[in-house]
């Protein structure tokens, strides 16, 4: 044990040991210095990271404040977007005033045969003894629009210092009397003109300086007619298809508004002239003339009329009213036809007659062509498409009550019936609802 624990006392050995201690101390010092340096560098790195993190945090907070200063858009709920789309679609879509149904209307008409004394006796159904007043209590209800009732006060206010004309046959006169009766409930008019047969008339509403006229011109074109007031003809009608009737064209510039319509007169026997030469005829057997048909004449006449309107320097507001269907059953007006129905048809219960379909097709075709020209020339041309809604009202005609008390003496009396014109008041009053709505707010209708 002692041997193993013996110290070496050699001086040289002591010198070596001393040197070793120096080296050890130096190494330890070096290690300590290195460790201190490492600790210093590590602290510097950590400090730099903290500063950088603080700077980044400060930038983030600054950006957050900048973002917060801007308006924040909330997410739009899906149901709101759908509603907004529906509203947009409803605004952009145009509704059809002429597609709908007749529905009960307990309020009834705006006037009666007692409150309007201007009703022609042939259309004064209640005075003439018609026993069923139910036809008075219906109104036209477009399927995707609201059609307000005619407002006579508003209409007259709009028509202050204006003039209006209805141009056509006896249906146009029927129409103007409906309007006259409605307006007369709020303002009294003075008749200032009538022709010899009282077919053309003019009234003045002095409180509003409004003039209302009807111009009887059944062909709209120049025609030589050989009929008496009862419709009895002594010769064929001579119809000039290249000349308009000056009875209305010479007054055209005097009117601000006009409703123009052709009609059933084109179905009558007639000789057709163009360039002062006979071109053919309609329904003229034995005349050795070319049968051109009423469609030929009706199209020619409408083309001439619409060209006049769209090319005129006077830009009136013009309606083209479509043909009026009749409701004769079991015959015609001259062969015992009747119209005894007391309620409106529903859609699908009645078909339009071929002749009415042909006339309306011509009207639609020529209107479409003229409307394009009108838009270019600044004219205002609108289609008053009353055919379909009128087809559904077989109950609205005078029938046998075109004369006073037709069955007073004989309940089985055979009398002439009228299934073409309209009782006043009656379904034709709705035409004025349509006219006023189109005049005021036509942009939303197609």
């Amino acid at each position: 044990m002692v041997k193993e624990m013996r110290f070496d006392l050699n001086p040289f050995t002591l010198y070596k040991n001393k040197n070793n201690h120096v080296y050890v101390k130096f190494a330890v010092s070096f290690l300590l210095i290195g460790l201190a340096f490492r600790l210093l560098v590590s602290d510097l790195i950590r400090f730099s990271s903290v500063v950088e993190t603080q700077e980044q945090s400060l930038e983030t907070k600054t950006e957050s404040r900048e973002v917060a200063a801007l308006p924040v858009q909330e997410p739009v709920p899906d149901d709101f977007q759908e509603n907004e789309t529906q509203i947009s679609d409803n605004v952009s879509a145009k509704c059809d005033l002429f597609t709908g149904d007749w529905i009960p209307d307990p309020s009834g008409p705006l006037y009666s045969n007692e409150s309007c004394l201007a009703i022609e006796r042939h259309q004064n159904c209640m005075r003439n003894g018609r026993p069923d007043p139910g036809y008075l209590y219906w109104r036209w209800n477009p399927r995707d629009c609201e059609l307000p009732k005619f407002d006579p006060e508003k209409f007259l206010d709009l028509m202050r210092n204006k003039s209006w004309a209805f141009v056509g046959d006896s249906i146009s006169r029927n129409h103007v009397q409906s309007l006259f009766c409605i307006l007369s409930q709020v303002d009294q008019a003075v008749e200032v003109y009538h022709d010899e047969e009282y077919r053309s008339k003019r009234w003045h509403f002095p409180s509003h300086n409004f003039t209302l006229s009807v111009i009887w011109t059944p062909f709209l074109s120049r025609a030589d007619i050989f009929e008496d007031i009862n419709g009895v003809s002594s010769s064929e009608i001579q119809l000039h298809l290249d000349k308009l009737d000056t009875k209305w064209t010479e007054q055209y510039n005097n009117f601000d508004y006009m409703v123009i319509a052709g009609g059933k007169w084109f179905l009558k026997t007639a000789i057709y002239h163009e360039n002062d030469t006979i071109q053919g005829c309609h329904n003229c057997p034995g005349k050795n003339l070319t049968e051109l048909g009423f469609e030929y004449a009706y199209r020619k006449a409408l083309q001439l009329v619409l060209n006049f309107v769209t090319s005129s320097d006077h830009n009136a507001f013009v309606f083209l009213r479509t043909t009026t269907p009749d409701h004769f059953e079991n015959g015609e007006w001259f062969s015992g036809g009747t119209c005894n129905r007391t309620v409106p048809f529903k859609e699908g219960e009645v078909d339009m007659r071929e002749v009415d379909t042909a006339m309306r097709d011509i009207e639609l075709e020529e209107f479409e062509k003229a409307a394009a020209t009108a838009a270019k020339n600044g004219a205002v041309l609108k289609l008053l498409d009353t055919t379909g809604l009128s087809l559904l009202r077989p109950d609205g005609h005078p029938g046998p009550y075109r004369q006073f008390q037709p069955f007073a003496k004989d309940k089985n009396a055979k009398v002439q019936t009228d299934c073409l014109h309209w009782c006043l008041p009656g379904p034709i009053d709705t035409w004025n609802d349509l006219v006023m709505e189109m005049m005021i707010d036509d942009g939303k209708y197609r």
Side-chain angles (χ1 to χ4, degrees):
M1 292 289 296
V2 173
K3 188 175 181 178
E4 290 179 359
M5 295 180 64
R6 180 174 54 92
F7 293 100
D8 190 353
L9 296 177
N10 190 317
F12 180 73
T13 303
L14 289 172
Y15 176 75
K16 282 175 60 180
N17 289 339
K18 192 180 286 188
N19 285 340
N20 287 340
H21 288 155
V22 170
Y23 291 141
V24 170
K25 290 180 180 178
F26 179 78
V28 170
S29 298
F30 182 80
L31 289 172
L32 290 173
I33 292 170
L35 179 61
F37 181 79
R38 178 179 176 81
L39 291 173
L40 178 62
V41 171
S42 177
D43 287 341
L44 285 173
I45 291 173
R46 280 199 302 270
F47 177 77
S48 176
S49 298
V50 169
V51 172
E52 185 177 357
T53 302
Q54 289 177 342
E55 288 176 352
Q56 288 176 348
S57 175
L58 182 61
E59 289 175 359
T60 302
K61 289 180 181 178
T62 304
E63 288 176 356
S64 297
R65 286 195 297 270
E66 290 174 352
V67 171
L70 296 174
V72 178
Q73 180 143 357
E74 296 286 336
V76 180
D78 291 340
D79 57 345
F80 178 83
Q81 290 178 333
E82 289 174 1
N83 291 338
E84 190 176 46
T85 301
Q86 289 173 358
I87 293 170
S88 177
D89 290 344
N90 290 337
V91 170
S92 61
K94 291 189 176 185
C95 72
D96 183 0
L97 280 172
F98 307 111
T99 299
D101 307 278
W102 291 94
I103 63 174
D105 178 21
S107 65
L110 295 173
Y111 64 96
S112 70
N113 65 305
E114 294 180 347
S115 66
C116 181
L117 303 179
I119 301 174
E120 284 191 9
R121 58 187 179 89
H122 293 316
Q123 281 92 54
N124 201 336
C125 302
M126 298 307 292
R127 177 186 176 277
N128 290 343
R130 179 167 174 171
D132 59 311
Y135 70 95
L136 298 172
Y137 297 95
W138 298 86
R139 69 177 177 88
W140 179 246
N141 183 43
R143 288 184 193 155
D144 52 0
C145 324
E146 283 296 324
L147 178 61
K149 265 198 170 184
F150 191 95
D151 185 340
E153 293 183 353
K154 184 175 183 179
F155 181 87
L156 284 171
D157 286 341
L158 291 170
M159 290 299 106
R160 193 176 297 277
N161 302 319
K162 304 290 185 182
S163 58
W164 196 298
F166 290 75
V167 178
D169 58 16
S170 56
I171 298 295
S172 292
R173 191 164 66 249
N174 201 180
H175 190 182
V176 79
Q177 285 185 345
S178 166
L179 178 59
F180 177 88
C181 284
I182 295 172
L183 298 179
S184 68
Q185 305 308 296
V186 297
D187 193 10
Q188 294 302 309
V190 178
E191 185 179 300
V192 294
Y193 168 80
H194 62 77
D195 62 7
E196 289 185 17
E197 296 85 11
Y198 288 80
R199 285 172 164 170
S200 296
K201 292 184 179 182
R202 184 163 62 250
W203 299 270
H204 183 245
F205 291 78
S207 298
H208 296 80
N209 191 28
F210 170 59
T211 302
L212 180 63
S213 302
V214 58
I215 302 173
W216 187 76
T217 170
F219 292 101
L220 304 173
S221 302
R222 178 186 156 190
D224 302 319
I225 300 171
F226 306 94
E227 280 189 9
D228 62 20
I229 196 69
N230 296 315
V232 179
S233 179
S234 59
S235 184
E236 297 87 0
I237 296 166
Q238 306 295 314
L239 184 56
H240 301 265
L241 296 175
D242 56 346
K243 297 180 176 67
L244 291 173
D245 189 347
T246 56
K247 277 193 295 187
W248 73 273
T249 57
E250 289 181 352
Q251 300 182 64
Y252 181 74
N253 289 356
N254 299 331
F255 298 111
D256 300 292
Y257 297 85
M258 184 174 282
V259 180
I260 300 175
K264 294 293 193 286
W265 277 74
F266 282 87
L267 304 179
K268 294 176 178 282
T269 297
I271 310 299
Y272 299 154
H273 298 253
E274 292 180 75
N275 298 317
D276 297 321
T277 303
I278 295 176
Q279 298 295 323
C281 68
H282 169 59
N283 192 28
C284 58
K287 291 290 184 180
N288 196 27
L289 295 173
T290 303
E291 174 65 40
L292 296 175
F294 74 89
E295 298 96 335
Y296 175 85
Y298 195 43
R299 188 179 296 276
K300 283 275 187 178
L302 285 183
Q303 287 174 346
L304 201 61
V305 168
L306 294 173
N307 182 63
F308 175 84
V309 168
T310 57
S311 62
S312 174
D313 293 333
H314 175 64
N315 290 332
F317 193 122
V318 177
F319 295 89
L320 175 67
R321 178 178 57 75
T322 56
T323 190
T324 303
D326 63 63
H327 292 96
F328 286 101
E329 297 184 65
N330 304 312
E332 297 297 329
W333 68 272
F334 54 83
S335 60
T338 60
C339 45
N340 298 325
R341 298 180 185 271
T342 57
V343 294
F345 284 125
K346 295 180 181 178
E347 186 179 14
E349 291 182 343
V350 61
D351 294 323
M352 196 178 298
R353 296 172 61 190
E354 289 185 9
V355 63
D356 294 321
T357 299
M359 296 187 83
R360 184 171 177 274
D361 286 346
I362 292 170
E363 291 160 350
L364 296 182
E365 291 166 8
E366 296 306 322
F367 174 83
E368 287 299 322
K369 290 188 285 187
T373 304
K376 293 178 183 177
N377 296 345
V380 181
L381 181 63
K382 303 297 178 184
L383 185 71
L384 184 59
D385 189 6
T386 56
T387 305
L389 61 94
S390 301
L391 179 66
L392 301 178
R393 290 306 304 271
D395 58 320
H397 303 290
Y401 297 97
R402 68 181 301 273
Q403 46 266 334
F404 182 71
Q405 300 292 343
F407 304 114
K409 295 181 179 180
D410 183 358
K411 292 183 179 180
N412 298 314
K414 291 185 177 181
V415 297
Q416 185 177 340
T417 59
D418 183 354
C419 303
L420 174 62
H421 298 90
W422 303 96
C423 292
L424 293 176
I428 196 171
D429 297 327
T430 292
W431 296 6
N432 292 312
D433 298 341
L434 295 165
V435 164
M436 184 168 182
E437 185 67 5
M438 292 176 68
M439 182 185 70
I440 292 174
D441 199 5
D442 185 61
K444 71 179 184 182
Y445 304 113
R446 62 175 179 265

